[in-house]
Each structure stands twice: as C-alpha cells, then as structure tokens.
C-alpha cells in the first residue's frame, strides 16, 4: 500500500480531474459506494474459482454481529448491489462512474499493490453493442486527455466469450484439451483444470504460452447472435478508426463477464502492462437480486496510468501558488495574514510563511514552493502601507520588483499574470 506524498498527489490530482471531466463529458454520473461490503457479495458476484475470491480478499468477521465483511477488491459488484438496492434503473438505464481504492492481497511488485485505485465506468440497462462502442471511445478519450496519444496510446485487445451456454461447451472442450497435457500444468493450473479450465487461459505463467495457442478457440463455439454482436462492434470501431487486435485467449479473470471482453495494454510498464480491463456482464444484476439487465463497464488502474503518464509527460511544470508572503519584524506576519485573506477572495492563491525564520530562508521557501510572486512585509513596507512584490519567474532582462500599495495588490498580480498568460491552478 502506498503513501502518496505531496509531489505525487499533485500528479494524481491533475489526472483525476481530467479523467472525471471526460466521464462527465459523456454524460456519466458519479456513484460512491462504501469501501467495505458483505463478503458474500463478492463470493457470489465474482465467482468462487477466481484468484480474487480464492486468495486475494481482505476479509474479517465483525465480532459485534458475527457477519463477514471484505475490503472491496473491485467495484462492479458493489455498484450493481447499490443499483439493485436503490432501483437505479427503474426509470431509465444508467451510465455511472466511480473512483476509489480497491484492495487485493497480491504479491506486491511494480505495478501491483495491495491498495490500488481504479477509475471505473458501469453502463446498467444497455444490451446492444453500441454501449461497448461508447466504453471504448471513452477509454480513448481518457488516454487523449492525459496526453497518451500517438505511439503512447495503449493498445486495445478484444474478444468475445459468448453466452454462458456457448461458454460451457467451450469450457468443456478446453478441459478435454488441457487434460491431455496435464503434465505441463503447475499446481495452480491443475486446480483451475478441475474447477474452471477457462481460467487457465488467464494464467500468467510463461511455460503455457504455446499450449494456450494450441487450445480450442472460442470462435468455434459462438452462436450467430454472439458473433453478430461482436462483428457489429468491430465494424463500428473500424468506422471510428480505432485500432484493435482480436485476442482469442483474452477471457478476463472474473466469472461475471460474457460476450465482449477487452483490455488496454501498454509497453514500457514491464509485466504489469494492462492499464484497463472491461467487458459485458449481462447476468450480474439478476445474480445479485435485480431484474435481468444488460450491462457492461471497465476499470482503469490509476497507479499504472500515473506511471505511464510520468514516463511520457510533456507537461511543463507550472507554478503552484500565485503568491508567497514573507515577512520581517513584529507586525509583518499579522498584516500578511490579513492581506492574504483579501487577495484569496479574488481567486488568487497565497501561502503565508508563518514561521519566524530569516527573510533569506523565507525567500528560499518561496522558490521551493514554486510561487509565481513573492511579497515581503517588512517594517519599511508596513510604515508606508506598501508591499514589495517580486516576480519569481520573470523573463530574462525584465525586472518585476515593485512597491505596491496594499489596496492595489490584487490588481497588480492580475495584470502581470494576464500579460504572461501563465495562470497557475
Ligand atoms: P491483472 O491481469 O494485471 O492482474 P486484473 O485482471 O486482475 O489485472 P482487473 O480486475 O481487470 O485487473 O482491474 C482493472 C485494472 O486495475 C487492471 O488492468 C490494472 O490496471 C489495475 N489493477 C488490478 N490489480 C491491481 C493491483 N494489484 N495493483 C495495481 N493495479 C491493479
Ligand atoms: Mg489480477
């Protein structure tokens, strides 16, 4: 689990704002659900033979009521629970997004943490392939919004895993196939063979790459409706000039998926190269007690996205605050606090140095804090009702140091900022 120190948090906050903006641009509404849910929600929702349920959940028994709770390992099940509980799709289908921490007891490594953050989207009450089109367009818009376009753009992999009937004949064929190669399977995959051979395709073990390539393909088991759904989706993606690769081994790690599944992968992140996963889950709402409701969604892993963003960011470092107030003498600090209140009301950010450090130290801090202006409240200034303001990021040759009357402070800062066009957030 990670601490996000201020420098990192700044990057995160920047991306969070952009991603949330994309989602609202598509008309999606935010939903916030609790971090704790009853454990049985995930047992039922995700499937008992999944990595998450078998070994990755943080669960505990509440001694006060004997019930078992889990820190949410993902949020689709919880959003569906909330939707059923509050009849969210009673009047019309819903387009929802969420953001927050998820918890999985995995082996920590680069790109894989025990607390990690996901941005996710769920479309509840949507049956047709156009909803997957919209999901994919949204992902694309997210990459674009944070500058991951051109050759930095993640690559889209897609597959269809059909209806549950189609999948069960496929799973049977897979079982028979892997049974013949039982010698190559490790313990984990032997267990998967017994309980759900489809999961073998999802295994990350390198020794199985060839075997997985030879395994039966889902395409041979899809009926006409599933095939048409997938083909329609692909043809609209072509229309939008979205490049993708159909990956017949892509099955995703959770039982609730059917029909379309997809992932976005990137190079340069090492083994943990998936930044986003999603698909259709038409049976989940009914499984969790609602009426049959077509649904689909995706989740983006923030840690991996931030890493990718930082490795490629072309964004210039901006100033972080407009003004830094330093002071000397007895009354400087209080006058600075008073004037800062006025200036902030005009939407200008001010950090007041509240220490009694030397002026030299305070000036250093102003630079270290990436302030655009430094204002000094010294005894001389206080006497004359002026403040000495210095532009810290001035262009070469220019000298922006002025004595400014208190009453003209806001005007002065505004003017120079407008001229330079360098507004900080
Ligand atoms: P992976 O195949 O990498 O284990 P997954 O299929 O378990 O991923 P999902 O449950 O689909 O992942 O979650 C969606 C996204 O959340 C992933 O693509 C990834 O970016 C991110 N993610 C999942 N698990 C972790 C983790 N332990 N640490 C950081 N990010 C994660
Ligand atoms: Mg995983």
């Amino acid at each position: 689990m990670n601490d996000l120190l201020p420098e990192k948090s700044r990057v995160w906050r920047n991306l969070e704002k952009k991603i949330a903006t994309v989602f609202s641009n598509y008309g999606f509404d935010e939903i916030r659900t609790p971090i704790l849910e009853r454990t049985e929600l995930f047992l039922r929702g995700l499937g008992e033979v999944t990595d998450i349920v078998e070994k990755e959940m943080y669960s505990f028994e509440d001694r006060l009521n004997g019930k078992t709770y889990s820190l949410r390992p993902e949020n689709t099940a919880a959003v569906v629970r909330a939707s059923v509980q509050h009849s969210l799709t009673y009047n019309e289908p819903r387009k929802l997004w969420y953001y927050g921490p998820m918890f999985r007891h995995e082996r920590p490594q680069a790109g894989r943490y025990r607390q990690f953050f996901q941005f996710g989207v769920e479309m509840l009450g949507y049956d047709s392939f156009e909803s997957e089109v919209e999901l994919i367009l949204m992902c694309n818009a997210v990459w674009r919004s944070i500058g991951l376009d051109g050759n930095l753009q993640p690559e889209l992999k897609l597959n269809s895993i059909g209806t549950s009937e189609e999948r069960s004949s496929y799973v049977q064929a897979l079982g028979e196939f892997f049974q013949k190669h039982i010698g190559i399977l490790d313990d984990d995959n032997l267990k998967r063979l017994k309980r759900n051979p489809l999961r073998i395709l999802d295994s990350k073990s390198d020794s199985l790459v060839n075997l997985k390539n030879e395994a039966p393909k889902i395409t041979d088991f899809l009926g006409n409706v599933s095939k048409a759904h997938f083909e329609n989706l692909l043809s609209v993606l072509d229309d939008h000039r979205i490049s993708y690769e159909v990956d017949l081994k892509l099955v995703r790690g959770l039982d609730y998926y059917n029909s379309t599944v997809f992932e976005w992968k990137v190079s340069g992140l090492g083994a943990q190269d998936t930044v986003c996963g999603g698909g259709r889950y038409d049976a989940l709402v009914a499984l969790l007690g609602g009426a049959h409701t077509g649904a689909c969604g995706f989740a983006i892993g923030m840690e991996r996205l931030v890493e990718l963003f930082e490795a490629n960011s072309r964004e210039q470092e901006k100033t972080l605050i407009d003004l830094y107030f330093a002071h000397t003498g007895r009354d400087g600090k209080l006058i600075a606090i008073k004037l800062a209140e006025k200036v902030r009301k005009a939407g200008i950010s001010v950090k007041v140095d509240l220490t009694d450090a030397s002026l030299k130290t305070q000036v250093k801090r102003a630079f270290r804090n990436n302030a655009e202006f430094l204002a000094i409240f010294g005894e001389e200034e206080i006497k004359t009702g002026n403040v000495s303001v210095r532009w810290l990021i001035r262009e070469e040759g220019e000298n922006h140091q002025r004595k400014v009357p208190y009453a003209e402070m806001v005007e002065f800062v505004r003017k120079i900022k407008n001229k330079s066009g360098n507004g900080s957030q």
Side-chain angles (χ1 to χ4, degrees):
M1 302 191 189
N2 296 310
D3 293 318
L4 290 180
L5 305 183
E7 262 178 31
K8 269 270 183 218
S9 296
R10 224 173 275 141
V11 178
W12 279 62
R13 177 70 78 175
N14 172 21
L15 298 198
E16 286 163 2
K17 275 193 211 154
K18 289 179 171 156
I19 298 171
T21 304
V22 170
F23 293 163
S24 6
N25 279 347
Y26 278 81
F28 281 61
D29 295 313
E30 184 181 5
I31 181 165
R32 302 189 192 197
T33 59
I35 284 168
L36 280 183
E37 293 278 348
R38 297 283 294 273
T39 299
E40 61 198 45
L41 171 68
F42 301 113
L43 299 189
R44 252 204 297 159
L46 312 191
E48 307 230 0
V49 193
T50 54
D51 282 353
I52 291 183
V53 167
E54 281 183 334
K55 51 191 187 199
E56 295 175 359
M57 287 217 289
Y58 287 96
S59 304
F60 69 94
E61 189 187 305
D62 183 342
R63 267 175 300 144
L64 299 179
N65 62 13
K67 290 178 178 161
T68 310
Y69 296 89
S70 297
L71 288 170
R72 61 185 185 192
E74 60 100 59
N75 209 28
T76 299
V79 169
V80 169
R81 182 220 23 90
S83 169
V84 171
Q85 189 174 332
H86 304 287
S87 309
L88 289 189
T89 56
Y90 185 77
N91 287 318
E92 58 172 315
R94 287 288 189 141
K95 301 182 177 185
L96 302 170
W97 70 269
Y98 62 81
Y99 175 62
M102 309 296 155
F103 302 84
R104 296 183 194 174
H105 194 111
E106 304 199 68
R107 194 169 64 79
Q109 52 196 285
R112 201 176 282 293
Y113 308 100
R114 290 181 173 175
Q115 173 179 291
F116 60 99
F117 285 73
Q118 286 184 335
F119 258 108
V121 153
E122 314 294 355
M123 300 181 73
L124 306 175
Y126 292 90
D127 290 301
S128 70
F129 67 91
E130 288 93 346
S131 25
E132 283 105 304
V133 171
E134 189 158 83
L135 290 179
I136 286 164
L137 291 175
M138 279 172 88
C139 290
N140 224 6
V142 168
W143 315 144
R144 230 181 304 126
S145 77
I146 61 168
L148 296 177
D149 36 24
N151 55 357
L152 297 175
Q153 157 124 8
E155 282 167 29
L156 174 60
K157 315 266 178 191
L158 287 156
N159 192 19
S160 171
I161 54 171
T163 63
S164 65
E165 294 76 33
E166 289 154 8
R167 206 160 46 258
S168 65
S169 349
Y170 177 51
V171 168
Q172 195 183 340
L174 273 181
E176 286 161 13
F177 172 81
F178 285 119
Q179 189 68 42
K180 280 188 248 155
H181 301 276
I182 204 159
I184 308 178
L185 302 182
D186 57 17
D187 283 352
D188 263 354
N189 282 306
L190 283 173
K191 213 155 98 197
R192 290 174 167 140
L193 178 59
K194 259 204 220 113
R195 302 177 64 182
N196 185 354
L198 191 68
R199 288 279 96 79
I200 300 178
L201 293 183
D202 195 38
S203 107
K204 305 238 157 42
S205 125
D206 290 336
S207 55
L208 291 186
V209 174
N210 289 335
L211 193 63
K212 287 197 294 190
N213 281 334
E214 288 162 27
K217 301 286 179 293
I218 181 77
T219 343
D220 300 326
F221 296 82
L222 295 183
N224 289 337
V225 175
S226 294
K227 272 188 188 150
H229 184 102
F230 196 50
E231 279 160 15
N232 285 333
L233 167 62
L234 298 186
S235 94
V236 179
L237 294 182
D238 289 335
D239 227 38
H240 283 263
R241 295 174 185 281
I242 293 192
S243 48
Y244 58 83
E245 189 190 313
V246 174
D247 176 356
L248 298 176
K249 292 187 295 296
L250 180 64
V251 292
R252 313 275 303 119
L254 303 170
D255 277 359
Y256 57 58
Y257 287 109
N258 66 286
S259 183
T260 315
V261 290
F262 63 89
E263 287 185 349
W264 293 84
K265 290 186 181 259
V266 292
S267 49
L269 280 191
Q272 313 316 326
D273 59 355
T274 309
V275 286
C276 172
R280 186 160 270 292
Y281 51 88
D282 295 321
L284 187 60
V285 180
L287 187 72
L288 297 179
H292 172 84
T293 307
C296 56
F298 63 75
I300 295 174
M302 263 303 270
E303 283 76 4
R304 295 181 196 179
L305 197 65
V306 169
E307 203 186 315
L308 196 64
F309 171 80
E310 288 194 306
N312 298 294
S313 177
R314 285 158 296 179
E315 277 190 19
Q316 302 257 318
E317 176 147 27
K318 285 197 201 127
T319 50
L320 298 176
I321 42 171
D322 298 321
L323 274 167
Y324 194 91
F325 277 10
H327 57 86
T328 58
R330 258 187 322 160
D331 302 325
K333 213 193 285 186
L334 287 175
I335 294 186
I337 291 174
K338 213 169 189 177
L339 192 57
E341 280 302 285
K342 273 209 188 117
V343 176
R344 289 182 189 122
K345 277 187 194 141
I348 291 167
S349 56
V350 188
K351 184 165 183 172
V352 180
D353 197 313
L354 294 180
T355 71
D356 295 322
S358 70
L359 186 59
K360 199 171 149 204
T361 303
Q362 294 184 52
V363 171
K364 267 195 208 150
R365 285 183 190 144
F367 279 103
R368 204 183 303 132
N369 276 269
N370 275 354
E372 190 165 1
F373 296 94
L374 165 68
I376 298 168
F377 296 79
E379 271 167 49
E380 174 61 28
E381 282 90 351
I382 292 166
K383 247 190 264 157
T384 58
N386 286 313
V387 61
S388 147
V389 183
R390 219 170 112 189
W391 193 14
L392 299 185
I393 52 164
R394 94 197 121 147
E395 313 273 312
E396 226 168 291
E398 281 187 77
N399 183 7
H400 282 289
Q401 168 133 8
R402 306 258 167 93
K403 295 268 184 212
V404 181
Y406 291 169
E408 291 169 27
M409 184 79 177
V410 169
E411 216 26 55
F412 173 80
V413 172
R414 275 214 183 120
K415 244 210 252 132
I416 298 198
K417 279 171 74 72
N418 284 344
K419 217 165 74 188
S420 71
N422 188 354
S424 62
Q425 289 300 304

